[in-house]
Amino acid sequence: MPRLSTTEMLCLLFGLWALLFGLAWFVGRSRRESAEGFMVAGRHVGLGFGSASLLAGWIWALSLYAPAQAGYQYGIAGPVYYSAGGALMLIVFMPFVRRIRELVPEGHTIAEYVGARFGRAAHLLTVLITLVWTVVILYFNLSVVGYMVSSFSGVDYETGIVIVALIAVSYSLLSGLKASILTDAAQFGAISLAGLILAPIVISRFGGPSALVASLETLGDRGDPFSMRAFLQMGLPWMLLGLVGAFSYQSVWQKAWAIRADSVSRAYLIAGAGWFPYSLAFGVFGVIALAAGIPSAAGDGSDITPVVAAHYLTSGESVLFVVLVLAAACSTCDGALCAFSSILMTDVIRGYLAPTMAGRRLLRWGRLGIVFVGSLGALLAFQKESLLQLLFLLGAARVALAVPLLTSLYWRRATQAGYVYGVLGGVICGVTAAATLRSVTPYHSLISLLLGLGVSGGICALFALTSRGPRFEFDTLRTRVRKVSE
């Protein structure tokens, strides 16, 4: 039974929009926006706002649902492995964000760097991969919002998706990444407050930590926090995806250019360490559902977080949960919108269509891009898919970018041919394996990820080692990647 009436849910959504839009208006009210400020927030975001923005963006709505789905399918080991893998994403990323700031201090997108490092073919391939993943991020978060709204109120799945997409688009249009970072700080506060209150309440009403520990003994292999089956089927694939998947995520790179150079490493470390307990706490919801026999309406546990919350929380507490999910979804949606806008301005328009376009005209196109991708994400979210399975299927394509991109940052012998053929080969092999082996072996996710990594890395290394051309001079990147002229 819905915990909130349709009117109450709509009022809550309107209140969220008013708060976030008001903050975005406040940050951009004093002066006209520039294309450079819209994309990288002036490159002077401090440690506090930078850490909060990274953490809020990383605690995306899927982080509240996928670990619970992992717990529902694999038991307690599911959220343990999921949380560890997600935390490693940001922590392992630290040396690479330092390196990219050293090589291209005036950069905007990772595809822009790749184009300067290798050339147009590598640039175009990276643009396509990062654009697709940006749309997928929107899809994931808006899908989660749809499940939450329909579980907690009379507002249907599709209406919830449309409203939240409109909220994120409206305030992102004002000041781009600056608005995203400021609103992320507010959303992080809401996420922290709601998470610290709600997770202990649900565990307490289940019977407390002692009841939870006792229930693990009745779950057999799924009560083992270090289950080898869960590790090989979900844990290791997710950790691999966590370690290398962020290479294709423009929002993570973009904030590396926005945060001050003297704070960027610490910001990523704080955000990575802070992410683990949030994901683990909500992953326990899936274990509770498994132990208590609470069924998943979706069948696979994709919706088990709101189902468990609705089962144990009162109406007033349900409001906090709704705020938590909405804040997590919006904090990641606005980052994805800004990422798409930056890729459109920097890599599509300046890279191919109008290289000399002035910043003011470029900014208008960036805002149109936000409207377009927000609409596309909402339309795709109307299609309901298993979130965890889709995450691994697309992950098989994402990981192919990791080794060629990593070697390009340090290895002077890395070539454009090795990058292009390595990424293409890894994507084809990884996605094919993920799609064809799903009905053959329970380890299809692990095999597809390893195949994508191995093929892309092997081809990249082969071309580099056999190349007879001159070695690349990294110092030339500073003159090839420059800030936007207004």
Side-chain angles (χ1 to χ4, degrees), residues 133-155:
W133 184 244
T134 298
V135 175
V136 170
I137 292 293
L138 284 170
Y139 165 82
F140 278 138
N141 283 274
L142 293 175
S143 295
V144 168
V145 166
Y147 283 128
M148 183 275 297
V149 168
S150 60
S151 296
F152 276 85
S153 75
V155 179

Side-chain angles (χ1 to χ4, degrees), residues 428-447:
I428 293 170
C429 293
V431 172
T432 301
T436 58
L437 297 179
R438 188 172 176 178
S439 59
V440 177
T441 172
Y443 306 110
H444 55 89
S445 296
L446 177 60
I447 294 172

Side-chain angles (χ1 to χ4, degrees), residues 271-317:
W275 192 84
F276 181 86
Y278 288 98
S279 176
L280 182 61
F282 285 93
V284 171
F285 281 31
V287 182
I288 288 175
L290 194 63
I294 300 173
S296 163
D300 61 358
S302 295
D303 61 341
I304 203 62
T305 298
V307 169
V308 170
H311 186 82
Y312 287 106
L313 299 179
T314 65
S315 297
E317 294 160 354

